Amino acid sequence: MNRGPGLFVTLEGGEGAGKSTQARRLAAVFEAAGREVVLTREPGGTVGAEKVRGLLLDPATDLCALADTFLHFAARADHVEKVIAPAVARGAVVVCDRFYDSTLAYQGFGLGVKIETIVEMIKILDFKPDLSIFLELPDFLAKARLEGRGLAPDRYDLMGEVLREKVAAGFRVIAATDPKRCVVVGAEGDAETVTAAIVAALRARGLLV
């Protein structure tokens, strides 16, 4: 796929790691540097993909793991074609809260869909982040943060601690497998400290002046 002159950065990690907060803060950093920024999320980002998100997160939804995976990629395909690819093509910075690494971690390592199957879907999608930032947080801190939110658990939250452990292990494997694209940042500190580490990683790769 023709990428264009823009930049595509994704935030990955388990629940409670602070992805949404850091995505917003990173968008502000790029805006301060004079760049057009598109801040988005997955699953979601388009009208159709947001409807798929609602289905995927609804505790009442009953899907097998492979169907779950297909729905993620259906939403992602719409997101890439309508939002991400056009923004990158015109030179914007796209900051996305989750992308296909989350599907590898959750549906692949977590729910047992063959990694090879997901990799084939990634090839069909044909759109890769320039940098993926993996926010890593010990499980006991993640649980404390989630409990502190006071929000009703979504479908994935209800799958329990074993899934969280498998997903965390999956993210570590993914990051180690593709070190040129992926950087692991500890998320234990306050928001300012984590943002500083993310900015340092971007500057080290020449992606932020």
Side-chain angles (χ1 to χ4, degrees):
M1 182 177 287
N2 182 14
R3 287 295 304 267
L7 183 65
F8 182 30
V9 180
T10 59
L11 280 293
E12 299 285 3
E15 296 302 324
K19 294 177 302 303
S20 299
T21 297
Q22 292 304 321
R24 290 192 297 270
R25 293 178 67 88
L26 184 56
V29 168
F30 277 111
E31 286 173 347
R35 299 291 299 271
E36 177 196 354
V37 178
V38 174
L39 177 61
T40 189
R41 69 177 184 178
E42 288 214 344
T46 68
V47 173
E50 288 291 335
K51 290 182 178 179
V52 175
R53 178 188 180 89
L55 177 65
L56 286 166
L57 298 185
D58 187 347
T61 297
D62 183 14
L63 290 170
C64 73
L66 185 58
D68 195 275
T69 305
F70 279 130
L71 278 179
H72 275 280
F73 272 94
R76 183 165 296 130
D78 196 56
H79 192 198
V80 168
E81 180 169 329
K82 293 179 179 177
V83 176
I84 299 173
V88 172
R90 68 176 180 264
V93 176
V94 177
V95 178
C96 190
D97 180 350
R98 296 198 183 281
F99 199 57
Y100 60 62
D101 293 308
S102 280
T103 309
L104 280 167
Y106 278 81
Q107 283 68 39
F109 288 90
L111 298 179
V113 175
K114 290 182 180 179
I115 299 299
E116 296 83 358
T117 299
I118 300 175
V119 168
E120 286 303 311
M121 293 184 193
I122 293 171
K123 290 178 181 177
I124 293 168
L125 183 71
D126 193 26
F127 206 89
K128 184 178 182 180
D130 295 291
L131 182 67
S132 296
I133 299 156
F134 288 64
L135 298 178
E136 191 168 65
L137 190 68
D139 188 59
F140 76 94
L141 283 177
K143 288 168 67 177
R145 288 184 182 181
L146 290 172
E147 290 170 0
R149 289 178 182 176
L151 299 175
D154 65 32
R155 178 166 161 264
Y156 297 106
D157 293 333
L158 293 173
M159 292 182 186
E161 186 173 341
V162 172
L163 177 67
R164 287 199 305 272
E165 292 173 352
K166 290 180 178 179
V167 167
F171 276 127
R172 288 192 290 271
V173 171
I174 296 163
T177 302
D178 193 355
K180 285 188 176 181
R181 177 178 64 85
C182 304
V183 59
V184 178
V185 173
E188 302 95 329
D190 59 29
E192 292 78 9
T193 300
V194 178
T195 302
I198 292 171
V199 168
L202 284 159
R203 287 178 173 153
R205 288 161 173 76
L207 301 176
L208 180 64
V209 177

